[in-house]
C-alpha cells in the first residue's frame, strides 16, 4: 500500500466541553499504512481527538471520514467492526478478567475484512504474556498491561490502530520495546497507526508523519524527520 | 441432636434461597452499582403470575416456567423503560427509584391479585422422613429447592465463564467504555443482566412460596435477608453471595431454633451492622483496588 492513500480525513473538527473548546476547527489527514504521531503538551486536545474519532465524544462541528465513510454520529461500539481499534489512555485492561479473556474479548467485535489473528500469534509477538495466560490482568506489570491492550487490539484485526500514550509511566527500555513492536506491525501488516504521545522523541523516531496540537489547534504538521530536526519547533512545542 | 440436625437442614434450604436472592442483587450491583430493592416485589409479581397459571388448571411446572419467563421480561422492561432514564450522575437516584418501584409493584399486585393470603402449591412432598428413630426434616420439596438453586448457579457459571456472551457481560460490568471500544453493545448487556437477575429473583420467589402462602408482601423480609447475604459476600462477588446466603440461612435458623422466631429479623440487622463495621467490603473482598 502506498503512503499517499488517505485513511482518515478530518475536516474542521470542533469539540467543546461546556464553554471550553478542546478542539478548534482541526483538519488533518491520516495516511494509510503509516504511523502518524499526534504530539503536544497536556491539554492540547490529543486524547480528545482520538476519543472523537472513535465516537466516544460527539463533535460540535466538522467531519471525520474513514475510507470515504462518515464516522461522526456512528456509535463507538461499531468502530471495531469497521476496522478502527482504539487503545485508550491509562492501559484499559479489564483487570478482573484474565489475560486470555481480555484477548478473546478483543476478537469478538473484530473487523471481518481481515483474517483472524490467533491467540498464539499474539503470544508470539508479546512473549511475556504467554506465561501469564490464566493470570488475572490486575497482576500484570505496567509494560505487560500495555502489551496486553495492544495485543487485544490486534485480535480485532484493525486497519487503523489508535494508540493513546502507550509510553505513559513505562521504563524507557519497555517503551523502546513497545515502539519497536508497533513499527514492526506497521511494516509487516501495512497497518495505519495514529500515535498520541507526550514522549515526542520516541514517537518521532517511529512515525513518518507528525501533527503538533497546541491548545486545540494544529500548530505544525509535516514529515517526522523534518519536525525532529527543527530546533525552534522542538523547543516551542515538544520540550526536547 | 435431633434439633441441631433439623436446624441445620432448615438453615441450608432457606440459605440456598437467600443465596439465590443475594445473587440476583449482586448481578445488578456488579454491572450498574444499583441495589435493586424492587427485586422482592418483582419476584412476588412473577410468583402471582405462576399462581394464576396454576389456578387456571395448568400444571405446577407450566406455572413455574411462566414465572421465570415473565421474570426475564419484567427485568428487561424495568431496565429499558425505567432505570435507563434515571439521571446517572448519582447512584442514589436509581436506588431511590427502585424503592419507588417497590411500592408501585406492591400496590399494583394488591389491586390486581387482592390483598389476602393465598396458598401456593408445592410440586413435591412436604413431609420429612424417619431414619431409625431420627426424624430428618428434609422434605422432597426441600431437596428440590436446593437442586433448583444449584442448577441455576451452575448455568450462570457456565454462561459467565465459558461463553462469549458471558465474557461480554462481564466486560460490560467492569469497564463499560473499554467494552464499547471493543465492539460490545454495552446497553444490551445491561438489559440482559437485569433480565437474568430477575429470573434468579423469580426463582427465589417461587421456591419460598411453594407449600406456603403468598401475599403482596410475602417477599419483603427476603429482600432484607438477601441484601445482608450479598453484603456479607461483598456485593461484588457472585460466589460470595452464595456463601453469604448459606451463612445467613444457617445463622438465622440457629437464632430461630434456639433463641426464638421473633429475633430473626433483628439478628439479620445485627449481622449487617457487624459486617459493615468489621469487613465493610465483605468477607471475600478481593479486588477492592478498583475504585481509585
Amino acid at each position: 500500500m502506498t503512503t499517499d492513500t488517505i485513511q482518515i480525513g478530518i475536516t474542521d473538527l470542533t469539540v467543546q466541553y461546556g464553554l471550553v473548546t478542546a478542539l478548534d476547527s482541526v483538519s488533518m489527514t491520516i495516511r494509510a499504512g503509516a504511523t502518524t504521531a499526534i504530539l503536544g503538551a497536556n491539554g492540547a486536545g490529543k486524547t480528545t481527538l482520538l476519543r472523537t474519532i472513535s465516537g466516544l465524544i460527539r463533535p460540535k462541528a466538522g467531519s471525520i471520514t474513514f475510507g470515504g465513510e462518515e464516522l461522526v454520529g456512528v456509535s463507538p461500539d461499531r468502530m471495531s467492526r469497521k476496522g478502527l481499534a482504539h487503545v485508550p489512555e491509562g492501559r484499559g485492561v479489564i483487570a478482573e478478567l484474565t489475560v486470555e479473556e481480555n484477548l478473546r474479548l478483543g476478537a469478538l467485535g473484530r473487523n471481518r475484512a481481515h483474517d483472524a489473528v490467533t491467540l498464539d500469534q499474539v503470544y508470539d509477538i508479546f512473549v511475556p504474556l504467554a506465561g501469564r495466560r490464566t493470570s488475572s490482568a490486575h497482576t500484570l506489570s505496567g509494560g505487560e498491561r500495555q502489551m496486553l491492550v495492544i495485543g487485544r487490539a490486534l485480535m480485532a484485526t484493525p486497519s487503523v490502530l489508535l494508540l493513546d500514550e502507550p509510553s505513559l509511566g513505562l521504563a524507557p527500555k519497555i517503551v523502546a520495546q513497545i515502539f519497536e513492536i508497533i513499527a514492526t506491525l506497521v511494516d509487516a501488516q501495512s497497518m495505519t497507526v495514529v500515535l498520541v504521545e507526550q514522549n515526542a522523541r520516541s514517537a518521532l523516531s517511529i512515525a513518518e508523519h507528525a501533527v503538533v496540537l497546541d491548545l486545540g489547534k494544529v500548530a505544525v504538521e509535516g514529515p517526522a524527520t523534518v519536525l525532529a530536526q527543527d530546533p525552534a519547533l522542538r523547543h516551542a512545542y515538544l520540550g526536547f | 441432636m435431633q434439633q441441631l440436625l433439623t436446624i441445620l437442614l432448615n438453615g441450608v434450604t432457606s440459605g440456598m434461597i437467600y443465596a439465590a436472592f443475594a445473587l440476583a442483587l449482586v448481578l445488578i450491583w456488579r454491572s450498574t452499582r444499583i441495589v435493586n430493592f424492587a427485586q422482592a416485589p418483582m419476584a412476588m409479581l412473577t410468583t402471582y403470575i405462576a399462581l394464576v397459571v396454576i389456578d387456571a388448571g395448568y400444571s405446577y411446572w407450566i406455572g413455574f416456567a411462566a414465572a421465570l419467563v415473565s421474570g426475564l421480561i419484567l427485568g428487561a422492561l424495568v431496565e429499558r423503560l425505567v432505570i435507563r432514564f434515571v439521571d446517572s450522575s448519582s447512584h442514589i437516584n436509581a436506588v431511590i427509584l427502585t424503592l419507588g418501584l417497590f411500592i408501585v409493584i406492591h400496590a399494583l399486585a394488591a389491586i390486581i391479585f387482592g390483598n389476602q393470603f393465598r396458598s401456593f402449591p408445592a410440586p413435591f412432598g412436604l413431609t420429612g422422613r424417619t431414619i431409625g428413630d431420627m426424624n430428618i426434616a428434609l422434605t422432597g420439596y426441600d431437596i428440590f429447592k436446593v437442586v433448583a438453586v444449584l442448577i441455576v448457579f451452575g448455568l450462570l457459571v457456565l454462561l459467565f465463564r465459558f461463553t462469549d456472551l458471558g465474557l461480554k457481560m462481564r466486560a460490560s460490568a467492569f469497564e463499560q467504555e473499554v467494552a464499547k471500544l471493543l465492539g460490545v453493545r454495552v446497553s444490551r448487556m445491561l438489559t440482559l443482566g437485569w433480565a437474568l437477575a430477575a429470573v434468579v429473583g423469580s426463582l427465589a420467589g417461587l421456591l419460598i412460596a411453594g407449600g406456603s402462602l403468598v401475599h403482596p408482601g410475602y417477599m419483603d423480609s427476603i429482600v432484607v435477608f438477601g441484601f445482608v447475604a450479598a453484603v456479607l459476600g461483598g456485593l461484588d462477588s457472585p460466589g460470595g453471595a452464595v456463601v453469604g446466603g448459606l451463612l445467613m440461612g444457617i445463622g438465622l435458623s440457629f437464632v430461630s431454633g434456639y433463641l426464638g422466631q421473633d429475633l430473626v429479623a433483628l439478628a439479620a440487622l445485627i449481622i449487617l451492622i457487624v459486617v459493615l463495621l468489621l469487613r465493610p467490603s465483605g468477607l471475600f473482598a478481593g479486588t477492592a483496588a478498583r475504585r481509585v
Side-chain angles (χ1 to χ4, degrees):
Chain A
M1 201 183 288
T2 69
T3 50
D4 295 345
T5 325
I6 294 171
Q7 179 78 269
I8 297 178
I10 295 171
T11 324
D12 295 329
L13 195 68
T14 299
V15 172
Q16 288 186 324
Y17 298 120
L19 291 172
V20 181
T21 302
L23 289 178
D24 187 0
S25 199
V26 165
S27 299
M28 66 177 75
T29 55
I30 307 291
R31 293 162 199 203
T35 299
T36 302
I38 313 279
L39 309 171
N42 252 335
K46 307 182 301 286
T47 295
T48 301
L49 178 68
L50 283 199
R51 292 173 64 82
T52 311
I53 294 174
S54 58
L56 292 169
I57 299 175
R58 250 200 120 109
K60 187 164 175 277
S63 104
I64 303 167
T65 56
F66 173 58
E69 186 188 355
E70 179 62 53
L71 284 189
V72 171
V74 176
S75 91
D77 55 26
R78 294 182 183 272
M79 296 297 180
S80 65
R81 285 181 187 77
K82 291 182 185 294
L84 270 166
H86 180 165
V87 177
E89 191 178 21
R91 311 281 131 74
V93 298
I94 300 185
E96 290 86 347
L97 304 180
T98 66
V99 167
E100 190 134 321
E101 284 171 339
N102 266 283
L103 292 174
R104 268 175 56 210
L105 192 61
L108 294 181
R110 78 182 188 87
N111 167 28
R112 307 215 169 253
H114 295 185
D115 290 340
V117 169
T118 64
L119 289 167
D120 286 337
Q121 283 172 293
V122 172
Y123 292 135
D124 283 346
I125 301 173
F126 301 102
V127 177
L129 295 181
R132 312 291 309 267
R133 290 168 195 240
T134 54
S135 309
S136 172
H138 74 86
T139 64
L140 299 185
S141 70
E144 288 167 337
R145 284 177 182 225
Q146 195 59 54
M147 291 179 189
L148 177 56
V149 286
I150 297 176
R152 190 177 64 191
L154 296 181
M155 296 291 293
T157 53
S159 39
V160 177
L161 189 58
L162 308 171
L163 289 172
D164 199 349
E165 300 253 14
S167 75
L168 194 75
L170 297 183
K173 205 178 140 196
I174 311 278
V175 173
Q177 216 178 6
I178 285 180
F179 276 32
E180 197 188 304
I181 290 169
I182 296 169
T184 317
L185 287 171
V186 174
D187 286 346
Q189 311 188 10
S190 68
M191 194 179 281
T192 306
V193 174
V194 181
L195 177 62
V196 158
E197 263 300 338
Q198 287 206 61
N199 185 344
R201 193 196 296 261
S202 303
L204 287 174
S205 71
I206 62 160
E208 280 83 15
H209 199 78
V211 178
V212 179
L213 289 180
D214 185 43
L215 298 174
K217 292 187 180 185
V218 175
V220 188
E221 189 177 359
T225 46
V226 176
L227 266 73
Q229 280 157 12
D230 184 335
L233 192 80
R234 274 171 26 197
H235 292 148
Y237 298 113
L238 307 178
F240 73 97
Chain B
M1 181 63 199
Q2 167 89 54
Q3 192 186 7
L4 183 71
L5 188 69
T6 304
I7 286 173
L8 215 55
L9 287 172
N10 280 337
V12 170
T13 45
S14 54
M16 287 306 273
I17 293 177
Y18 301 155
F21 203 80
L23 188 64
L25 293 175
V26 166
L27 284 176
I28 288 177
W29 168 264
R30 234 167 44 132
S31 54
T32 55
R33 301 281 138 187
I34 294 170
V35 176
N36 180 21
F37 287 107
Q39 196 87 78
M42 283 163 72
M44 173 270 294
L45 196 65
T46 56
T47 306
Y48 266 109
I49 290 173
L51 190 59
V52 168
V53 171
I54 293 167
D55 281 352
Y58 295 98
S59 82
Y60 175 87
W61 299 109
I62 305 234
F64 189 85
L68 296 189
V69 171
S70 49
L72 192 76
I73 296 168
L74 184 63
L77 285 179
V78 166
E79 197 277 331
R80 277 272 141 144
L81 301 180
V82 184
I83 301 295
R84 178 156 303 193
F85 299 102
V86 182
D87 174 10
S88 59
S89 56
S90 161
H91 287 301
I92 196 73
N93 293 347
V95 177
I96 303 279
L97 189 82
T98 67
L99 284 170
L101 272 176
F102 185 104
I103 296 166
V104 169
I105 297 175
H106 243 256
L108 273 179
I111 293 167
I112 299 170
F113 303 110
N115 206 5
Q116 69 275 39
F117 286 91
R118 289 166 71 175
S119 70
F120 196 94
F124 294 103
L126 293 170
T127 47
R129 52 216 64 217
T130 314
I131 297 174
D133 54 359
M134 283 262 280
N135 286 316
I136 312 283
L138 188 70
T139 68
Y141 185 56
D142 285 337
I143 295 171
F144 168 66
K145 282 190 212 174
V146 174
V147 170
V149 174
L150 285 178
I151 287 174
V152 167
F153 289 166
L155 290 176
L156 286 175
V157 168
L158 288 179
L159 172 72
F160 284 118
R161 285 273 147 220
F162 300 108
T163 70
D164 289 347
L165 182 65
L167 184 58
K168 287 190 211 173
M169 290 181 72
R170 281 155 69 208
S172 308
F174 298 131
E175 288 277 1
Q176 294 202 3
E177 187 171 293
V178 172
K180 259 184 213 165
L181 290 175
L182 296 173
V184 177
R185 305 276 170 84
V186 170
S187 66
R188 278 189 205 172
M189 296 303 134
L190 294 184
T191 307
L192 189 58
W194 275 77
L196 279 182
V199 170
V200 178
S202 296
L203 176 74
L206 280 169
L207 294 179
I208 290 171
S212 176
L213 301 169
V214 294
H215 170 265
Y218 88 99
M219 283 295 284
D220 294 358
S221 60
I222 307 302
V223 78
V224 177
F225 300 156
F227 178 66
V228 178
V231 172
L232 204 59
L235 265 179
D236 254 330
S237 147
V242 174
V243 177
L246 281 172
L247 287 177
M248 275 297 282
I250 295 169
L252 294 183
S253 179
F254 271 95
V255 169
S256 124
Y258 286 112
L259 299 176
Q261 178 72 38
D262 303 341
L263 295 174
V264 167
L266 189 65
L269 294 175
I270 290 172
I271 293 174
L272 179 63
I273 291 168
V274 171
V275 169
L276 289 178
L277 284 176
L278 299 180
R279 298 280 319 234
S281 45
L283 299 178
F284 308 95
T287 51
R290 165 144 297 283
R291 268 173 292 168
V292 276

